[in-house]
Amino acid sequence: MDKIKQFLRSFEQSFSFIFLLKWTFICLLIGAFTGTASAVFLWSLEWVTNYREANLWIIWLLPIAGFVIGLSYHLYGESVVKGNNLLLEEYHSPKKIIPFKMAPLVFLGTVLTHLFGGSAGREGTAVQVGGAIADQFTKLFKLSNIDRKIVLITGISAGFASVFGTPLAGAIFALEVMMIGRIKFDAIIPSFLAAVFATYFCDVWQISHHTHYTISSIAAITPATILWSVLAGIIFGLVGMLFSKSTHFWGQLFKKHINYPPLRPVIGGIVLAVTVYFMGTTKYIGLGVPTIVDAFNINLNSYDFILKLLFTSFTLGAGFKGGEVTPLFYIGATLGNILIWFIPLPMPLLAGMGFVAVFAGTTNTPIACTIMGIELFGIESGVFIALACVTAYLFSGHSGIYTAQIIGSPKDVFYNNQKGLTLTDVDNLRNKN
């Protein structure tokens, strides 16, 4: 045995091969389970959305759905109520395996939120389902703490990639989201394997489909268009910061004034149902995919982005379940749609830039969002997408929807004193000052 180990050590690639075989097997399992779960999830969202739009009276039951969601988490899900932030916390400070109950709780909570008219997304759910599934293999295969960190990354990449059909962006997102300004290269192969496998297994079931978006007009790359792109990125970043702060504001407001957690989504549901009734439109609830598609083709209302921001931040702050990303796509695309008023770039290009840049600002993942833009829209718009994403990342400041993110490399030397802090720590320092 010693001679075999000595022989293997003489060839560096032998350990690389063993590492590859090990993680190919594990990622195949994670990809299969997570991809299948995402397929069922996407089909469920499509079904409940169609049912809600055909039976709008059901929105009046949103407070009851809110109570069911709130009570289920209060009774059975207090250990997983942090959602995506729990995954990040376990990555940085491992304590115990993510309870599998996170997956069914967030799955059902999100489906109910969409069925009865809440404004939420799907990324958060897919990531939590993927993370909960993946972490079960830590216990099954008795993996080390180092391997467990890789497993959590593969769960995030598998969930993100499969729900959006973007394996490259999903893989990089999982590597980039863990720490602001740093990328975890030690997990790069497992992350890509899990993302590709999950996307494949999601598609192979053929029970769901991913929306296709097209940027029909691209500008020439000139000094002027570059500067206009940077200006657009600044606006996208500031709006991304506004979304993050709004979501945290509503969450803190509900916690401050309503002590019993199950009542928070009940009150929130009443407010949302009454608001939708008096507005006379369902344009700002659910995923909002039709409006996102329209943002690339026709002129929209100047207030669409801010209303979606308010509806979504209020829905999530009240305790309803779902992700933030698809609403962020909505906010970014509709915001880009109206920037044509003073930014001389093609409307479809601005919509596409906003689509991913607002997301980059709120998640602090500019590289993943750039890759996502290229995967969705094509390489032709890549330069403009990248400029918008990295600028939005800078101007969103040390804020974000994932408060457990740790600042690995501050966005500016002025904030070097915040290195190593979580976004929650940063908020607490601001409140003290």
Side-chain angles (χ1 to χ4, degrees):
M1 181 63 68
D2 291 336
K3 289 184 177 180
I4 294 176
K5 290 182 178 179
Q6 186 176 1
F7 175 77
L8 290 174
R9 288 193 182 97
S10 64
F11 295 96
E12 179 183 349
Q13 284 71 23
S14 61
F15 289 100
S16 298
F17 186 69
I18 293 171
F19 181 88
L20 180 62
L21 286 179
K22 169 185 173 180
W23 285 106
T24 298
F25 175 69
I26 294 175
C27 291
L28 179 62
L29 294 175
I30 292 172
F33 284 107
T34 303
T36 299
S38 290
V40 176
F41 177 57
L42 290 173
W43 175 84
S44 300
L45 287 187
E46 184 176 10
W47 188 89
V48 298
T49 298
N50 291 337
Y51 185 86
R52 184 193 67 232
E53 291 302 303
N55 301 272
L56 294 181
W57 59 268
I58 203 173
I59 296 175
W60 287 110
L61 301 180
L62 184 60
I64 298 176
F67 182 74
V68 172
I69 295 170
L71 187 63
S72 64
Y73 270 84
H74 183 64
L75 295 178
Y76 308 109
E78 286 192 356
S79 61
V80 297
V81 72
K82 292 182 179 179
N84 290 342
N85 284 310
L86 177 61
L87 299 179
L88 270 65
E89 288 176 0
E90 282 297 321
Y91 176 87
H92 294 298
S93 302
K95 294 179 181 178
K96 60 180 180 179
I97 302 298
I98 302 292
F100 181 73
K101 61 184 176 181
M102 171 186 271
L105 278 173
V106 73
F107 187 107
L108 293 174
T110 304
V111 170
L112 288 176
T113 296
H114 282 272
L115 174 61
F116 293 98
S119 177
R122 51 196 174 186
E123 158 271 340
T125 303
V127 165
Q128 290 176 54
V129 170
I133 289 174
D135 208 18
Q136 306 314 305
F137 291 99
T138 298
K139 181 168 51 179
L140 180 63
F141 295 128
K142 299 180 180 179
L143 300 177
S144 65
N145 285 336
I146 294 176
D147 284 345
R148 189 196 174 206
K149 289 189 174 186
I150 297 177
V151 159
L152 288 173
I153 287 176
T154 61
I156 292 172
S157 69
F160 189 99
S162 56
V163 82
F164 291 120
T166 54
L168 301 182
I172 297 174
F173 175 83
L175 298 169
E176 195 177 14
V177 75
M178 292 300 184
M179 187 173 291
I180 296 175
R182 301 285 179 87
I183 293 182
K184 299 298 295 179
F185 279 100
D186 55 345
I188 192 167
I189 290 179
S191 186
F192 272 85
L193 286 172
V196 173
F197 282 138
T199 303
Y200 169 78
F201 281 104
C202 181
D203 293 340
V204 79
W205 289 103
Q206 296 183 351
I207 61 174
S208 61
H209 67 276
H210 302 291
T211 307
H212 297 284
Y213 305 95
T214 303
I215 295 179
S216 58
S217 180
I218 309 293
I221 300 175
T222 66
T225 57
I226 290 173
L227 292 176
W228 283 119
S229 298
V230 170
L231 175 60
I234 293 172
I235 297 171
F236 294 140
L238 293 175
V239 171
M241 181 176 67
L242 176 62
F243 177 86
S244 299
K245 292 186 178 298
S246 297
T247 303
H248 302 325
F249 168 78
W250 290 119
Q252 292 168 0
L253 187 68
F254 274 97
K255 288 179 182 178
K256 181 179 179 180
H257 295 286
I258 304 175
N259 292 326
Y260 188 53
L263 283 182
R264 295 167 191 164
V266 174
I267 302 301
I270 293 172
V271 173
L272 288 169
V274 171
T275 302
V276 171
Y277 173 77
F278 281 106
M279 289 185 67
T281 178
T282 59
K283 186 177 182 179
Y284 307 107
I285 62 175
L287 292 173
V289 172
T291 303
I292 299 175
V293 174
D294 287 343
F296 289 83
N297 303 299
I298 62 176
N299 292 317
L300 298 178
N301 300 319
S302 60
Y303 50 81
D304 283 343
F305 82 94
I306 195 65
L307 286 180
K308 185 62 172 177
L309 186 152
L310 290 172
F311 267 85
T312 305
S313 61
F314 185 85
T315 296
L316 297 175
F320 287 95
K321 297 303 172 182
E324 302 92 346
V325 175
T326 303
L328 287 170
F329 292 163
Y330 183 120
I331 294 166
T334 53
L335 174 58
N337 180 277
I338 65 170
L339 290 186
I340 194 174
W341 292 357
F342 59 91
I343 293 183
L345 293 174
M347 183 179 68
L349 179 60
L350 283 169
M353 291 163 63
F355 184 104
V356 287
V358 172
F359 175 35
T362 55
T363 59
N364 297 298
T365 56
I367 300 175
C369 292
T370 298
I371 298 300
M372 170 174 268
I374 292 173
E375 280 189 288
L376 292 174
F377 310 129
I379 190 63
E380 296 81 8
S381 58
V383 170
F384 298 100
I385 294 292
L387 287 171
C389 287
V390 297
T391 307
Y393 164 76
L394 176 63
F395 277 82
S396 65
H398 286 165
S399 65
I401 55 178
Y402 307 134
T403 55
Q405 277 183 315
I406 290 179
I407 301 172
S409 294
K411 297 182 183 183
D412 188 277
V413 293
F414 180 78
Y415 298 104
N416 275 340
N417 63 320
Q418 297 178 0
K419 184 176 181 179
L421 301 179
T422 66
L423 294 183
T424 298
D425 295 331
V426 172
D427 281 339
N428 291 336
L429 284 175
R430 288 172 184 157
N431 293 334
K432 287 181 180 179
N433 295 332

